[in-house]
Amino acid sequence: MKSELIVDVQEKEISIALLEDSRLVSLQKESRNQAYAVGDLYLAKVKKIMPGLNAAFVDVGYEKDAFLHYLDLGPQFNTYSAYLEECFQDLRKVPNISRFKKEEDISKSGTIQDLLQPGRQLLVQIAKEPISSKGPRLTTELSFTGRFMVLIPFGEKISISQKIRSTEEKIRLRQLIGSIKPKGFGVIVRTSAENKRVAELNNEMRTLVKCWEESIQKMQRGTPPSLIYEEDSRAVSLIRDIFSPTFENIYVNEAETFTQIQNYVSLIAPERADIVKLYTKEIPVFDHFNITRQIKSSFGKTVSFKSGAYIIIEHTEALHVIDVNSGNRSKATNDQETNALEVNMRAADEIARQLRLRDMGGIIVIDFIDMNKPEHRQKLVEHMREVMANDRARHNILPLSKFGLMQITRQRVRPALDITTSESCPSCFGKGEIQPSLLFTEKLEEKIDYLVNTLMVKKFVMYIHPFVDAYIKKGLISIYGRWRRRFGRSFKVLPDESLAYLEYKVFDTDHKEIDLKEESDINSSHSKSRTRASNRDK
């Protein structure tokens, strides 16, 4: 199977698409200025204790107070609490965690008011991003994630990933980590550590311990609420968890991010550094790899798959509901039971892909087509477990109920990726009336004239819908050719599949968008009379 990562870096967000045999199976989007990413550390202050919830609301600077439950304090909270107290008593030095006395673990059935009071300062970690109207969810059981391991301060336990099957390898890793691990830290060994040399693991261990020490120093200088620790690069943090040495290519369309990713891959897999490639073509990278088209077809309410069958996906605050329909299948058999099994099996393939693609979490209820034979029902459940085996998110699949419903719980860490595939009209802005589409090329010509002769911008790229692009470039004497003869040959017009039919975008040589939305875009008649008057004056 050919696996590729495509990284699209825009001014406001970064998108990472995972392709398997050119088919989109995972899409992650991250705002470049978004705060409260999972794993970030904050110096925070307790705002309110809620005994009924056995939780506290904590101020981390978000518009909604963050939520810290008693069970998220971690069993070693007493040790953590004593360590922080010593840190705040003497701000000139960082206490050595290896020599720090370990306190007794807290009870699982305790109450939060016995441990926290309003106004208390805490070092907290984001466990879940803000979802809907809820603030972030926090934990004081801190961890620092690397490529090969997760470092846990105040712990001592060494845990090995269950995906490492070899007993000999588990024993080797446990002994190796035990020999290089400083006292006072626990470690979770990740799957990617399998068969790695001691030098690589020791290097990452030292790096993570340094991150912990620098975080404590910054905490001692900070005032709540303040950010203490975050990843150096959003792109690197996104790629870290999904990177695999089996990737054949990683394409990046921005030079700085390309360098960051290449340096990261060179560090963790030096022999694979050449798979990171800078995409320099002017056609949008997602268009070039046919990702935009797949996004448009995969994120709607209705998703079709083989032979005319389709699924309908509905989202609510509490759960996601998926309905399977056979549709007008062209290859339907006379045996209804066999037909239902075939549709359900193909639907399971698509549903597993959709869960990863949309990052749907929480409770998912699937209404499969009814099947009477128990062996068919069991076969479907086994197939669903098989196709979801590659899903990195923790999940649990229950057998079909007597109503033919399958229930799945899937780890929900961040909001589900919900992309609207319907397009708002860029010409009327919701008014319901637009200028004739035949005049759209005249509008584009006005915009180019405005850029070249008024703003004095000679070099730029204008992106338009592929249909419009094909229209202006058809024939030997094309509209596009006439524009270039009139305004010069320094600018380009290129297609972009993500744009609506009568939509356009303009970017300068630094790939920064030039905003050309004027009053003329809303009141076209006023614009045309003003343009004609301007032409007469010339």
Side-chain angles (χ1 to χ4, degrees):
M1 181 183 295
K2 181 181 179 182
S3 297
E4 295 179 304
L5 274 183
I6 314 299
V7 183
D8 181 21
V9 182
Q10 297 298 329
E11 186 175 356
K12 295 182 179 180
E13 70 175 9
I14 296 175
S15 302
I16 298 181
L18 172 60
L19 303 181
E20 293 180 354
D21 293 333
S22 300
R23 188 167 182 253
L24 180 65
V25 296
S26 178
L27 179 67
Q28 296 188 46
K29 287 180 176 284
E30 186 87 25
S31 174
R32 299 187 74 176
N33 57 3
Q34 180 182 358
Y36 311 108
V38 172
D40 288 354
L41 296 184
Y42 283 83
L43 177 60
K45 182 179 287 187
V46 178
K47 286 284 291 293
K48 187 188 300 183
I49 304 296
M50 304 294 290
L53 298 175
N54 203 16
F57 285 108
V58 181
D59 180 17
V60 292
Y62 189 65
E63 57 182 340
K64 295 278 188 180
D65 287 336
F67 184 80
L68 176 62
H69 193 271
Y70 176 85
L71 295 177
D72 291 324
L73 295 177
Q76 70 285 350
F77 181 80
N78 286 333
T79 307
Y80 156 92
S81 182
Y83 184 86
L84 288 194
E85 186 176 342
E86 186 169 324
C87 289
F88 291 131
Q89 284 178 353
D90 188 353
L91 303 180
R92 293 172 299 178
K93 68 174 184 178
V94 175
N96 190 333
I97 192 174
S98 300
R99 300 175 183 174
F100 200 80
K101 180 183 176 182
K102 183 175 175 61
E103 303 288 339
E104 185 179 354
D105 288 354
I106 64 174
S107 170
K108 291 183 179 180
S109 58
T111 56
I112 198 161
Q113 60 265 37
D114 294 335
L115 300 175
L116 296 180
Q117 302 81 36
R120 177 165 177 186
Q121 294 186 32
L122 296 173
L123 182 62
V124 296
Q125 189 164 36
I126 305 295
K128 287 187 179 181
E129 290 180 5
I131 296 176
S132 185
S133 60
K134 302 174 184 176
R137 181 154 184 167
L138 307 177
T139 179
T140 57
E141 195 169 12
L142 310 179
S143 63
F144 292 81
T145 304
R147 174 63 183 161
F148 304 126
M149 66 188 75
V150 179
L151 186 71
I152 304 173
F154 311 111
E156 288 293 342
K157 185 178 179 182
I158 299 174
S159 302
I160 310 294
S161 169
Q162 294 181 355
K163 293 184 179 180
I164 299 177
R165 302 296 184 186
S166 170
T167 304
E168 292 78 7
E169 180 63 10
K170 287 183 178 181
I171 294 173
R172 184 189 78 92
L173 287 171
R174 192 179 299 277
Q175 293 175 342
L176 195 157
I177 295 297
S179 66
I180 64 175
K181 178 185 73 66
K183 186 180 178 183
F185 291 96
V187 175
I188 299 174
V189 181
R190 308 185 71 185
T191 310
S192 54
E194 189 171 11
N195 299 321
K196 296 300 179 184
R197 296 173 300 171
V198 62
E200 296 176 90
L201 299 176
N202 187 56
N203 180 58
E204 182 166 278
M205 177 79 73
R206 302 280 80 78
T207 301
L208 295 178
V209 171
K210 185 179 179 182
C211 289
W212 158 254
E213 293 173 348
E214 291 176 347
S215 297
I216 295 301
Q217 291 174 354
K218 188 173 180 181
M219 180 195 72
Q220 290 176 315
R221 300 190 301 266
T223 55
S226 60
L227 176 64
I228 299 301
Y229 170 81
E230 67 174 341
E231 299 289 345
D232 294 333
S233 165
R234 293 287 189 189
V236 170
S237 64
L238 284 171
I239 284 181
R240 181 189 63 206
D241 291 334
I242 61 176
F243 176 80
S244 170
T246 61
F247 289 155
E248 295 193 11
N249 297 296
I250 300 177
Y251 290 98
V252 189
N253 68 339
E254 198 250 353
E256 182 180 353
T257 306
F258 162 76
T259 302
Q260 292 173 352
I261 295 175
Q262 189 178 53
N263 290 340
Y264 175 73
V265 175
S266 299
L267 178 65
I268 63 172
E271 71 284 356
R272 303 289 292 160
D274 58 342
I275 68 174
V276 185
K277 300 173 182 177
L278 181 62
Y279 179 86
T280 56
K281 297 179 181 178
E282 291 179 318
I283 296 175
V285 63
F286 272 19
D287 286 7
H288 179 78
F289 290 97
N290 199 34
I291 296 171
T292 305
R293 186 180 297 272
Q294 293 190 60
I295 291 174
K296 293 284 186 181
S297 63
S298 299
F299 278 89
K301 176 181 175 181
T302 301
V303 180
S304 300
F305 51 99
K306 293 181 179 180
S307 306
Y310 61 94
I311 58 176
I312 298 176
I313 303 175
E314 295 276 8
H315 305 281
T316 72
E317 182 70 19
L319 50 80
H320 308 278
V321 181
I322 303 176
D323 183 37
V324 178
N325 293 275
S326 59
N328 55 343
R329 295 187 69 242
S330 57
K331 296 182 180 180
T333 64
N334 293 328
D335 182 359
Q336 183 177 352
E337 182 76 9
T338 303
N339 184 48
L341 175 62
E342 185 178 344
V343 172
N344 286 338
M345 296 285 274
R346 301 289 74 77
D349 294 337
E350 183 60 33
I351 290 168
R353 171 177 174 256
Q354 287 291 329
L355 296 183
R356 292 176 62 190
L357 197 55
R358 304 187 190 213
D359 203 9
M360 294 161 59
I363 301 173
I364 300 106
V365 178
I366 308 169
D367 182 11
F368 284 106
I369 299 173
D370 291 339
M371 297 182 295
N372 295 321
K373 294 183 179 180
E375 60 268 26
H376 287 173
R377 296 157 68 92
Q378 182 61 29
K379 186 176 181 180
L380 175 60
V381 174
E382 292 174 355
H383 181 69
M384 177 60 83
R385 288 174 176 157
E386 180 183 340
V387 294
M388 287 194 65
N390 293 328
D391 194 336
R392 293 179 54 256
R394 292 196 301 271
H395 58 272
N396 185 30
I397 302 172
L398 298 182
L400 288 169
S401 71
K402 63 180 180 180
F403 299 115
L405 302 177
M406 178 182 288
Q407 299 173 67
I408 299 176
T409 58
R410 188 174 183 271
Q411 182 184 22
R412 182 162 101 164
V413 175
R414 52 181 58 87
L417 185 60
D418 188 14
I419 296 177
T420 304
T421 55
S422 58
E423 299 170 345
S424 59
C425 176
S427 297
C428 73
F429 298 94
K431 293 168 62 178
E433 295 180 356
I434 64 171
Q435 61 174 318
S437 56
L438 287 174
L439 301 181
F440 182 60
T441 54
E442 295 182 15
K443 180 179 179 179
L444 294 179
E445 187 171 358
E446 291 174 11
K447 295 298 181 184
I448 296 173
D449 187 5
Y450 176 69
L451 279 163
V452 174
N453 297 320
T454 303
L455 299 181
M456 305 303 293
V457 179
K458 305 295 183 181
K459 291 186 177 182
F460 59 87
V461 179
M462 175 178 280
Y463 291 98
I464 57 178
H465 191 276
F467 291 174
V468 180
D469 180 72
Y471 174 74
I472 67 170
K473 293 179 181 178
K474 70 175 182 177
L476 294 175
I477 306 176
S478 64
I479 296 173
Y480 179 53
R482 177 165 55 82
W483 291 352
R484 288 170 68 83
R485 286 191 296 273
R486 178 183 172 187
F487 301 113
R489 299 183 177 275
S490 298
F491 73 92
K492 294 182 180 180
V493 178
L494 296 173
D496 186 341
E497 294 179 358
S498 67
L499 298 178
Y501 183 52
L502 299 182
E503 189 178 8
Y504 63 91
K505 289 183 179 179
V506 180
F507 293 87
D508 61 17
T509 52
D510 295 325
H511 203 66
K512 292 184 178 179
E513 186 174 0
I514 303 173
D515 188 6
L516 293 176
K517 292 183 175 64
E518 309 170 61
E519 184 186 353
S520 59
D521 290 327
I522 302 175
N523 191 341
S524 58
S525 61
H526 176 64
S527 168
K528 293 184 76 64
S529 63
R530 185 174 57 189
T531 303
R532 291 193 187 103
S534 175
N535 290 336
R536 283 197 300 269
D537 292 340
K538 290 179 181 178

